[in-house]
Structures are given as structure tokens and as C-alpha cells.
Amino acid sequence: MPQPVVAKLIDTSQCIGCKACEVACQEWNDQEFTLGTFDGSYQTMPDLAHNFWNLIKFNEYETNGAMSWLMAKYQCMHCVEPGCLKACPAPGAIVQRANGIVDIVQENCIGCGYCITGCPFDVPRLSPTTKKVYKCSLCSDRTSVGMAPACIKTCPTNCLTFGARDELLRMADTRAAELKSDGHADAGVYNPPGVGGTNVIYVLKQASEPEKYGLPKDPSIPWTVSLWK
């Protein structure tokens, strides 16, 4: 029986920026303690790192003279058509599993960094110590035995959901419709077609401006990947 394609749904309208998902990710993946930069932002880190795969972005914006946040969880998008996989020259270093998860097999990684340039979301990070590339694996070690990713289990507001991709897309459409009926006319689903869709799906109140959430508007695999291949 074929495995269903799985996905993560992020309802940004319910995120409170508690960072519980960040802590769960660090603990489950046995990452070293990471200290923030204290640069005037509530954001833990300026960006993702080789040892920090899950980041809540605190995006400030102004509405009617008042400052607000559009918070969004940022990690590997597990694209249906992964640019990192297309760019990688090392056999077996980046794999797309039957359930849709895009994973890096570190023992096969040669540290060339081509996957970094192939990712339109700027996610993979090269470790200066191991000379290997790292990113969110959507907890493939947990999902392979029927468990949800660590970040999903710890979220206190249910803004994170894990399950079959088709079902989550239906849930995302339903939630976006609810937000529209509540007065958020621009609400919608972020599932960019330029990468064939993603297995990390967002519900956004301001879907026409994903850049406000730190997400690229029309991501696609760089043309240079096809050229050199």
C-alpha cells in the first residue's frame, strides 16, 4: 500500500510567538544551546542556521499608525519539486521520501553548497565544523514510525497540524474562508506553484503579500540549476 504524502499546516492567524516549537526542535534533534543576538527584536535568531532549523519570524508592520506582528514559523518547505534535490550533484545526499519529505543524508553530503543556491526559500545551511549541510527533516525519524513532528506536538494553540497533504489543503481552504467571513478579505493559502506546491502549507491573513511573513511571493527553482545540470 503506497504511503500518503504528508504535510504540515501552519495557521499563522493562531500563532502567538511562544517559540515552543523552536525549543522542541532543538531538543528532539539534540542541537547545541543557541543564544540570540539581542538586536532589538523578539526573534530568537536573525535567520536559520546549521544548528537551528526552526525559526519563528517576528515581522513588524504598521496598520493605521499602530505596529503589529505577522508571525510565521519558518523552516524547510519540503517542496513537491525540490530545488535542493535538483541542484545536488552527490548521489543519495538529498532524497525525497515516498511520503514527500525532503531529507539530507549527511554521510553522502559532500558540502558543495549547491543545494543552498538551488533553494528558493534560502533554507539549507552549511556547518563550518562538519562541512555538511543541514535543515529541517520534518522529523523523518518520528514520522517514519507514525509519530508527528516534535514541533507539532508542543504547539499550545493548535496553529500547527500534521497529516495527509490532501486533507490539510482542504483544512487550509476552510480556515481561509473562515478568516474571510471574519473580515479578513485577503486571507488565503500559501502553497506556491513555482515549486510544484509545498508540503509545508500556510494560512495567511494577508495572502497577497507573503513577503510580510518572510515568505517569497513567487518562489521558483533558479534557472541556473537547469543550466548547469
Side-chain angles (χ1 to χ4, degrees):
M1 184 176 179
Q3 285 185 283
V5 175
V6 296
K8 177 194 297 183
L9 173 60
I10 303 173
D11 182 355
T12 60
S13 69
Q14 298 192 67
C15 179
I16 59 174
C18 69
K19 306 183 185 181
C21 58
E22 291 183 356
V23 175
C25 179
Q26 292 295 96
E27 289 186 346
W28 178 259
N29 292 292
D30 197 26
Q31 302 284 23
E32 62 191 76
F33 175 73
T34 303
L35 191 63
T37 55
F38 302 105
D39 58 358
S41 171
Y42 284 100
Q43 198 166 293
T44 305
M45 298 278 286
D47 207 343
L48 299 174
H50 71 277
N51 57 354
F52 199 87
W53 305 344
N54 174 87
L55 175 68
I56 298 295
K57 288 189 174 182
F58 284 70
N59 304 288
E60 294 184 358
Y61 73 105
E62 185 176 346
T63 303
N64 299 323
M67 294 301 298
S68 301
W69 278 317
L70 287 176
M71 290 177 289
K73 182 179 183 294
Y74 203 62
Q75 70 284 290
C76 174
M77 300 294 286
H78 297 275
C79 304
V80 175
E81 298 173 6
C84 60
L85 177 57
K86 290 181 182 295
C88 180
I94 299 180
V95 297
Q96 188 169 34
R97 304 192 184 280
N99 62 1
I101 291 176
V102 180
D103 217 347
I104 296 179
V105 182
Q106 259 74 37
E107 54 263 37
N108 296 331
C109 176
I110 60 175
C112 66
Y114 286 1
C115 61
I116 298 173
T117 60
C119 175
F121 297 97
D122 188 31
V123 167
R125 292 292 189 272
L126 181 68
S127 168
T129 304
T130 67
K131 307 302 180 184
K132 305 283 188 179
V133 174
Y134 299 86
K135 69 173 189 64
C136 159
S137 66
L138 204 59
C139 286
S140 56
D141 52 347
R142 293 173 62 95
T143 56
S144 64
V145 293
M147 299 172 66
C151 61
I152 306 288
K153 297 293 290 184
T154 196
C155 179
T157 64
N158 294 321
C159 85
L160 304 180
T161 309
F162 179 77
R165 185 174 189 269
D166 290 344
E167 177 61 26
L168 293 189
L169 283 170
R170 286 192 289 269
M171 288 178 59
D173 287 336
T174 299
R175 177 57 180 161
E178 290 175 353
L179 290 171
K180 286 183 177 180
S181 67
D182 288 340
H184 301 284
D186 197 27
V189 178
Y190 184 79
N191 180 34
V195 289
T198 55
N199 292 326
V200 174
I201 303 157
Y202 290 82
V203 174
L204 308 176
K205 283 184 178 179
Q206 299 186 35
S208 66
E209 298 180 282
E211 306 97 317
K212 287 186 174 181
Y213 298 84
L215 298 166
K217 188 174 182 63
D218 297 305
S220 61
I221 299 171
W223 64 269
T224 50
V225 171
S226 298
L227 180 66
W228 86 265
K229 281 262 179 165

